[in-house]
Amino acid sequence: MQDNIKDLKKSISGRDFFKFCKKEFSNTMQNLERTRKFYIWAVAFVVFVLACYITFVVLVYTNSNACIEKFGDVCLLFVHPQAIAIIVGILFTIINLLIKNYKTKAKQYMLPKLLSFIGNFNLEQDGQQDYEYVSNLGLFNSFNRYNCDDKLTGAYNTLNIKILELDLKHESGSGKHRTVVTIFQGILVIFPCLKKYTGTTYIFRNSLFPNFKGKRVHLESPEFEELYDVYSTDQIEARYLVTAAFMQRLVDLEKKGFNGITMSFERGNVNIAIPSNKDWFEVPLLKSAYDIDNYRSILIEILNLLSVIDSLKLDKNIGL
């Protein structure tokens, strides 16, 4: 489907997509723009409050006697270091929540119709239901904090695909001894493997090496071995899945900028983890809802993810 992806990208960049947006959700863009302006004013108000508070703190520190005479000793409570940390923290939290709420509403408004331009894909709200599946994958180290911001499901060629935007963390200790370690942040693409297998095989990026108890599989490509470690419960099956051609395609994909990909063949599926700290499928608050480039970029992101499947030829039963 590489040609189809190229054709879709060409359509997205041209007049066809512009006409599609105007026809399918011009009213939605109008409603979203009103919502955006409301959130901009809300954020601006909180920023104004924050600026006023910081100005007040500076005035008290530079002219404390005059401030005490005017406002009384109570003003000193608001400039105590702990009070400053709490108040500033609360205001920044409110700002972040407002921005996050807008982005969530924008996705709910736009993404379902937008996805129809590239095929049969849907936005699902409940990504938490995939917790059990993700937690049972050997692809990730142990985590105890699971967050799925977005979940896209749909059909691509003959494959039923699930795309999860994940943030996996491990939290331990409490109070001053509390630590939070990010296990994985990015995209997990899940789809059925067209080659039948019975064991489990993992392709780990060397820099993202989890604890897996299988045996190391030594393969023939030095270039591939420099980048990846393959572990499997079945040496023969691993070579059946990870062929010389497949190794070269994965190396080529790395050179194209898909850095740090790890993947597994387990539970009957292919699971591809693409690390990234960016916010995927987001409509920015500071850009007009009428700006078609907002929606072009979202669809290009999705097509780039699907192109990974194309590049690795995982949608074809050709021996991988």
Side-chain angles (χ1 to χ4, degrees), residues 11 65 118 170 173 176 245 278 283-284 299 310 320:
S11 295
N65 291 332
I118 61 172
H170 187 272
K176 294 182 179 180
K278 66 177 288 187
V283 178
L299 291 186
D310 271 348
L320 298 182

Side-chain angles (χ1 to χ4, degrees), residues 201-204 206 215-232 234-248 250-251 263 265 320:
T201 297
Y202 296 85
I203 304 173
F204 295 137
N206 291 344
K215 293 183 179 180
R216 176 74 183 270
V217 182
H218 294 283
L219 299 164
E220 301 80 15
S221 170
E223 188 177 16
F224 179 84
E225 290 270 279
E226 285 182 6
L227 295 172
Y228 299 98
D229 299 311
V230 177
Y231 277 71
S232 181
D234 189 321
Q235 295 277 314
I236 296 175
E237 188 172 77
R239 289 178 170 82
Y240 160 75
L241 294 170
V242 188
T243 63
F246 178 81
M247 286 187 281
Q248 187 58 53
L250 192 53
V251 169
M263 57 189 298
F265 299 89
L320 298 182

Side-chain angles (χ1 to χ4, degrees), residues 129-140:
Q129 64 183 357
D130 297 289
Y131 168 78
E132 183 178 354
Y133 179 89
V134 175
S135 62
N136 287 325
L137 290 178
L139 193 57
F140 306 114

